[in-house]
Each structure stands twice: as structure tokens, then as C-alpha cells.
Amino acid sequence: MGEEEYGLRLYCLRLSDEVVLLLNGGIKTTKKADDCPNCRKHFQFANRVAQAVNEAIVDKRCIILGKKLIMNDYFIEL
């Protein structure tokens, strides 16, 4: 790995001790993911997903039941 490469990125959204969402992050080529042409879209998408899932849990459009994430038909529009 060269000096300008920072490795593969994965974004993790921990919802409970049993439920974790993993999102692609791409290969990072800059120190900040939002500045990286490879990671920017993944980073922004992961942030939108995290915000939408958190809001859906608060609004009861999504619930965590054991190891399951249960969503209704109106869960999200990204």
C-alpha cells in the first residue's frame, strides 16, 4: 500500500448487540473520506442510511426484534 492509499473502508452502524449494518466504503485515497473521490458517495450514503434508520427506529417505522430488523413499507426513501 502506497503513501497515498489508506485501505478499504467499511462503515458500521451498530443498532444493538445483535444487529449491525455494514456498508461499503470503497478504497480511501485521502485522509478524509468526504474528500476522497472513491469514498465520498459511500460516506454520504452511509450517513443518510444511519440518519434514516435512527429516525425510523424513533418513529417506530423500524424495530429491532432479537437479531431481526423489521421495517414497514414506508421505511425509507433515499
Side-chain angles (χ1 to χ4, degrees):
M1 187 166 17
E3 195 173 317
E4 295 295 318
E5 296 176 8
Y6 296 93
L8 178 65
R9 305 282 297 175
L10 289 176
Y11 298 107
C12 176
L13 177 58
R14 181 184 175 274
L15 301 176
S16 73
D17 286 343
E18 297 177 307
V19 179
V20 175
L21 296 180
L22 291 177
L23 298 129
N24 182 21
I27 301 291
K28 195 167 92 162
T29 59
T30 64
K31 286 191 178 189
K32 294 183 180 181
D34 211 22
D35 293 338
C36 176
N38 296 330
C39 293
R40 181 182 306 114
K41 65 183 175 186
H42 300 295
F43 178 68
Q44 291 170 348
F45 179 76
N47 282 323
R48 290 193 317 266
V49 168
Q51 181 178 355
V53 168
N54 287 330
E55 288 174 5
I57 290 171
V58 168
D59 295 344
K60 307 272 193 255
R61 291 177 285 126
C62 176
I63 61 170
I64 300 167
L65 189 60
K67 294 181 181 181
K68 295 182 180 180
L69 183 62
I70 301 170
M71 300 172 257
N72 67 22
D73 291 340
Y74 306 103
F75 168 67
I76 188 171
E77 288 185 28
L78 290 177

